[in-house]
Amino acid sequence: SAQVETEARNYFKDKVYTTIIPRNVRLSEAPSHGLPVLIYDKNCPGSRSYYNFTDEFISQDKFLESAA
């Protein structure tokens, strides 16, 4: 998976977000409980990564919006 990440970052450059969502047991358990992981376990590493991604996404969106 590290090699795929490297290749994707090399090919797509700045189109790839910096936040990485790690594999996490709680992420895989949440669907079997019928819940999104952010409700199932908001403090697990996977959930924290999704929060970080959301912040990164919104920040980039605001940057692009101000550049337009």
Side-chain angles (χ1 to χ4, degrees):
S1 64
Q3 182 181 0
V4 172
E5 177 191 355
T6 301
E7 290 180 19
R9 290 186 186 282
N10 287 337
Y11 183 79
F12 292 106
K13 310 278 186 232
D14 60 344
K15 293 179 183 176
V16 178
Y17 292 95
T18 59
T19 303
I20 296 171
I21 310 297
R23 290 184 182 201
N24 180 261
V25 172
R26 303 300 272 180
L27 289 178
S28 59
E29 289 176 347
S32 65
H33 291 275
L35 296 169
V37 70
L38 299 176
I39 293 173
Y40 182 65
D41 185 349
K42 68 180 183 178
N43 295 314
C44 76
S47 289
R48 288 194 308 263
S49 295
Y50 275 114
Y51 284 122
N52 292 338
F53 171 73
T54 302
D55 290 339
E56 181 181 358
F57 181 83
I58 290 170
S59 295
Q60 185 173 6
D61 187 52
K62 286 181 181 178
F63 173 75
L64 293 174
E65 194 173 280
S66 68

